[in-house]
């Protein structure tokens, strides 16, 4: 059996969107929709079946939804199980409720990875019609020239089409900060190799609004409600892509 319908202001207040009074004001302003239609004051919604959006961003309402931010160490694979017996990211977070990684990082890459059981959010963050910044620090061979950085910014031709970085900067002689929207397989590695600087180490440092320098490799934490809401607002349609791993 699902949960009983409750007044929308109570459901959204519990989800951390705003206070009940503030939710009532947002409903009156037409900022909230239920199943695609403008919400009504006092309207009841079923968290298990109704889709509620605030300013166009869907809000996860179920009480059993969890969101983990993991600092993936090198060597771990972004799957639920591995026939080769390698450690998986799913083994590094609580076993229940069962969660899945949003996108992926290849085994050699490391850094931030989101895991959740929120299928709606996962879909929005991985579907090609949505775009979320993913920032990496790439330790590369050699010292990239200004020309190489410009090529990354303007676009390089890969075997599956052109790709470009949204932002590129040289932090140290062999450390490149690179931001991408797309999620093609091993994208950052292939882009750097295309300009003559193969990646020696790749660390994802940010996923949209999510960043945390305090997490040690293999450590995880739950997202705050504020961070979840920020992710939901980030997952709005753009002309860019987010999915896969980009690594």
């Amino acid at each position: 059996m699902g949960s009983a319908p409750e007044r929308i202001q109570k459901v959204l207040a519990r989800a951390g969107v705003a206070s009940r009074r503030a939710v009532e004001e947002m409903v009156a302003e037409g900022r909230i929709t239920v199943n695609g239609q403008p919400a009504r004051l006092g309207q009841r919604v079923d968290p298990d079946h109704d889709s509620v959006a605030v300013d166009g961003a869907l809000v996860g309402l179920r009480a059993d939804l969890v969101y983990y931010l993991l600092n993936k160490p090198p060597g771990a694979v972004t799957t639920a199980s591995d026939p080769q017996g390698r450690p998986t990211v799913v083994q590094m977070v609580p076993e229940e409720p069962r969660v899945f990684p949003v996108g992926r990082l290849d085994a050699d890459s490391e850094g931030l990875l989101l895991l959740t059981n929120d299928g709606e959010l996962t879909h929005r963050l991985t579907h090609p019609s949505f775009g979320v910044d993913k920032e990496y620090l790439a330790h590369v061979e050699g010292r990239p020239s200004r020309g190489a950085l410009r090529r990354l910014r303007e676009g390089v031709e890969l075997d599956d089409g052109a790709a470009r970085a949204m932002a590129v900067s040289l932090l140290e002689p062999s450390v490149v900060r690179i931001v991408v929207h797309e999620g093609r397989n091993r994208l950052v590695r292939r882009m750097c190799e295309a300009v003559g600087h193969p990646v020696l180490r790749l660390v994802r440092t940010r996923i949209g609004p999510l960043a945390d320098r305090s997490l040690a490799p293999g450590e995880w934490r739950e997202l705050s409600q504020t961070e979840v809401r920020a992710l939901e607002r980030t997952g709005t349609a753009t002309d860019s892509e987010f999915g896969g791993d980009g690594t």
Side-chain angles (χ1 to χ4, degrees), residues 114-190:
L114 178 66
L115 298 97
T116 182
N117 57 353
D118 187 338
E120 288 283 354
L121 182 63
T122 297
H123 173 73
R124 294 202 307 280
L125 295 180
T126 56
H127 194 275
S129 63
F130 296 96
V132 176
D133 282 352
K134 291 172 290 182
E135 182 178 298
Y136 298 85
L137 293 183
H139 297 241
V140 300
E141 290 185 8
R143 178 171 183 166
S145 64
R146 290 183 179 179
L149 299 180
R150 184 172 61 252
R151 286 183 61 197
L152 290 172
R153 193 177 300 112
E154 295 177 350
V156 295
E157 195 65 36
L158 305 177
D159 57 5
D160 55 354
R164 70 183 183 92
M166 306 309 295
V168 181
S169 59
L170 191 64
L171 302 185
E172 297 179 20
S174 296
V175 178
V176 180
R177 170 187 170 270
I178 182 168
V179 178
V180 296
H181 276 175
E182 296 185 72
R184 281 180 272 168
N185 191 43
R186 300 176 69 85
L187 181 65
V188 173
R189 293 180 181 275
R190 292 190 290 137

Side-chain angles (χ1 to χ4, degrees), residues 69-80:
L69 185 64
L70 170 72
N71 185 355
K72 187 189 95 64
V77 293
T78 313
T79 56

Side-chain angles (χ1 to χ4, degrees), residues 6-238:
E6 297 179 282
R7 291 184 183 275
I8 191 169
Q9 58 265 42
K10 180 178 179 181
V11 172
L12 290 182
R14 185 172 60 231
V17 172
S19 68
R20 295 189 187 188
R21 178 62 60 86
V23 170
E24 291 175 355
E25 294 175 355
M26 295 164 74
V27 169
E29 294 168 356
R31 296 172 56 192
I32 299 176
T33 59
V34 178
N35 301 324
Q37 300 299 316
R40 306 183 307 275
L41 287 173
Q43 181 175 358
R44 292 180 178 273
V45 297
D46 184 342
D48 291 330
H49 298 98
D50 291 323
S51 296
V52 178
V54 177
D55 295 330
L58 288 173
V59 177
L61 302 178
R62 293 194 349 246
D64 64 340
L65 295 178
V66 295
Y67 308 84
Y68 302 136
L69 185 64
L70 170 72
N71 185 355
K72 187 189 95 64
V77 293
T78 313
T79 56
S81 61
D82 182 64
Q84 300 179 36
R86 294 172 295 182
T88 72
V89 295
V90 173
Q91 294 171 336
M92 298 179 179
V93 297
E95 186 175 350
E96 295 293 338
R98 189 180 185 188
V99 296
F100 301 90
V102 178
R104 62 187 181 272
L105 285 170
D106 63 68
D108 294 333
S109 299
E110 53 195 288
L112 298 182
L113 182 71
L114 178 66
L115 298 97
T116 182
N117 57 353
D118 187 338
E120 288 283 354
L121 182 63
T122 297
H123 173 73
R124 294 202 307 280
L125 295 180
T126 56
H127 194 275
S129 63
F130 296 96
V132 176
D133 282 352
K134 291 172 290 182
E135 182 178 298
Y136 298 85
L137 293 183
H139 297 241
V140 300
E141 290 185 8
R143 178 171 183 166
S145 64
R146 290 183 179 179
L149 299 180
R150 184 172 61 252
R151 286 183 61 197
L152 290 172
R153 193 177 300 112
E154 295 177 350
V156 295
E157 195 65 36
L158 305 177
D159 57 5
D160 55 354
R164 70 183 183 92
M166 306 309 295
V168 181
S169 59
L170 191 64
L171 302 185
E172 297 179 20
S174 296
V175 178
V176 180
R177 170 187 170 270
I178 182 168
V179 178
V180 296
H181 276 175
E182 296 185 72
R184 281 180 272 168
N185 191 43
R186 300 176 69 85
L187 181 65
V188 173
R189 293 180 181 275
R190 292 190 290 137
M191 290 174 65
C192 290
E193 187 168 1
V195 298
H197 296 280
V199 172
L200 301 175
R201 182 188 180 198
L202 189 63
V203 183
R204 182 191 281 167
T205 56
R206 180 169 62 84
I207 305 171
L210 300 180
D212 192 333
R213 296 183 179 181
S214 67
L215 280 180
E219 288 187 346
W220 64 273
R221 66 170 176 82
E222 290 194 54
L223 297 188
S224 67
Q225 289 185 332
T226 299
E227 289 174 319
V228 174
R229 300 289 86 80
L231 265 184
E232 290 169 342
R233 290 192 298 271
T234 301
T236 52
T238 71

